[in-house]
Amino acid sequence: PPAGAQRQAFVSASLLAVLLCCAASWMSIRARAVELAESADPVARATQIDDRALYAHIVEQVRSGRGDYVAAAEELRRHGYPLKPAMAFRLPTLAWIETMLPGARSRMLILIALAMGAVALWLRALVEEHFAKRMAYVLAVGSGLANVGAPGSVYLHETWSIVFQVAALATMRRSALATGMLVFLALAIRETALPFVVVLATVAWLTGYRRTALHASAAIGLVGLCYLAHVMAIAGILRPDDLVSPGWLGMQGWPLVIRAVQWNLLFAAMPVALVALILPAVMAALATAQSPEAVVGSLTTAIFALALTVVGRSDNYYWGIMISPYLLIGLGELLTSRPKWFGARKDTAGSARP
């Protein structure tokens, strides 16, 4: 490749590495501050457990030889979580993956490596774009994946799922098989990836990438069969006195969306009032998306934002992980295409002269 392209690739990789290191540090410090504030209350410390701690306990139980569904049911009961309906149980995919890894440090390293690989796939997908646009996408996607550095993030199913979703989106127009495999992993880890996969398959079909659409649809079908087996396994361990979920019709409105988008590093660094002020402009920028990848990200963000306002409970703010890499894509496209608009106007004016 030309020397200029090599320099751009080096700068891109360097910026990516610095961004992810800074992001991991920031999210770790921020999450630790929250943990310390919560631990100051002895009552909360004695009666509550974070989802990350819950699933960490389940992974260790499975590592010790307990069955995954038995371990999950026992931990859910022990800490006062609902076991009904079946959606209260996570698919065991992530627990199986993490039991094959020796400890939290190795799990974190692999998760960070996967996140860096996902952003690298975006750089490859944008190889024909100008440097400014590539950097805008790196910043947008990288800031959204920064949550992989938060303490306990390796036990959040959404964190792993979004890494595979971002990678799948980057391969959408390059490899139908790779996209199908990646969306299968994203769905098998967290079934709430379904809106993203449906949108990806639909956009791929409408834009002429029919094989990608078919592979994504096949992934949905396979995970659907797995989920059916999952529900049947759960039915065999439930008790009549198990707690039932209060439902998801929270009607939390726009404040929950504002809280959810703070899983993106750039929004996390802002005061809440500033996030509330600029978020409408960010959402409006998403509506200008033109590339198939940006359209998928925009529609997925719109679906989750609507879900958060209507069916999300206050403790479902972590759904924001599923849209955090897409939030700034539209703004990045607008900013990097602005010189083209001015250039087009200048050329038009010049050609109109006698």
Side-chain angles (χ1 to χ4, degrees):
Q6 289 181 343
R7 284 195 298 271
Q8 287 189 4
F10 176 77
V11 172
S12 300
S14 301
L15 285 175
L16 171 60
V18 171
L19 173 67
L20 287 179
C21 288
C22 294
S25 301
W26 172 265
M27 295 298 286
S28 297
I29 294 169
R30 187 171 180 268
R32 183 58 180 160
V34 173
E35 289 175 359
L36 289 173
E38 291 175 347
S39 65
D41 183 355
V43 175
R45 189 169 61 244
T47 58
Q48 296 179 357
I49 184 173
D50 184 82
D51 280 4
R52 290 166 290 190
L54 172 72
Y55 290 107
H57 292 169
I58 293 173
V59 168
E60 295 310 316
Q61 289 274 13
V62 176
R63 263 183 76 82
S64 67
R66 303 298 301 274
D68 41 32
Y69 287 100
V70 173
E74 288 180 354
E75 291 296 329
L76 290 169
R77 291 186 184 110
R78 181 177 296 119
H79 299 291
Y81 278 75
L83 282 80
K84 302 174 185 176
M87 285 185 293
F89 276 79
R90 296 286 188 269
L91 286 161
T93 314
L94 184 58
W96 291 342
I97 293 172
E98 295 194 332
T99 53
M100 294 186 287
L101 303 173
R105 183 171 297 178
S106 64
R107 296 163 191 160
M108 175 65 77
L109 288 174
I110 289 176
L111 180 57
I112 291 175
L114 288 172
M116 294 184 70
V119 181
L121 284 173
W122 271 95
L123 285 173
R124 179 178 173 81
L126 296 167
V127 68
E128 297 180 359
E129 299 290 345
H130 56 84
F131 184 70
K133 186 168 185 177
R134 294 175 71 191
M135 288 299 95
Y137 268 87
V138 167
L139 289 172
V141 176
S143 64
L145 292 179
N147 49 67
V148 303
S153 61
V154 291
Y155 301 109
L156 278 175
H157 296 70
E158 288 78 8
T159 306
W160 291 80
S161 180
I162 191 59
V163 169
F164 290 116
Q165 290 178 53
V166 169
L169 195 54
T171 62
M172 174 182 171
R173 290 190 283 173
R174 289 180 168 268
S175 173
L177 179 59
T179 303
M181 293 173 63
L182 289 165
V183 297
F184 174 82
L185 287 169
L187 273 172
I189 290 173
R190 192 66 171 105
E191 66 277 10
T192 50
L194 182 61
F196 164 81
V197 182
V198 170
V199 170
L200 183 146
T202 303
V203 172
W205 183 270
L206 294 176
T207 53
Y209 296 93
R210 302 294 173 86
R211 290 185 61 194
T212 297
L214 292 174
H215 279 76
S217 300
I220 294 173
L222 286 173
V223 175
L225 292 175
C226 294
Y227 200 82
L228 180 60
H230 173 67
V231 172
M232 293 173 66
I234 293 169
I237 59 173
L238 291 178
R239 300 174 183 170
D241 60 341
D242 284 331
L243 295 178
V244 180
S245 171
W248 285 269
L249 194 63
M251 303 298 290
Q252 295 291 313
W254 192 244
L256 185 58
V257 179
I258 294 173
R259 187 183 180 193
V261 301
Q262 290 181 289
W263 283 101
N264 183 290
L265 175 68
L266 298 182
F267 286 114
M270 297 178 186
V272 175
L274 183 58
V275 175
L277 184 64
I278 68 173
L279 188 56
V282 170
M283 292 292 188
L286 285 172
T288 66
Q290 296 181 358
S291 69
E293 295 87 352
V295 170
V296 172
S298 301
L299 291 176
T300 302
T301 302
I303 291 170
F304 271 93
L306 180 61
L308 283 163
T309 59
V310 179
V311 301
R313 299 192 308 258
S314 59
D315 59 339
N316 294 138
Y317 70 97
Y318 59 84
W319 289 358
I321 295 173
M322 305 293 265
I323 59 174
S324 56
Y326 314 131
L327 288 168
L328 300 175
I329 285 178
L331 199 59
E333 282 202 341
L334 279 178
L335 292 175
T336 55
S337 62
R338 194 177 163 98
K340 291 184 178 180
W341 297 343
F342 288 130
R345 291 176 183 174
K346 182 177 179 180
D347 292 343
T348 301
S351 62
R353 291 174 184 172

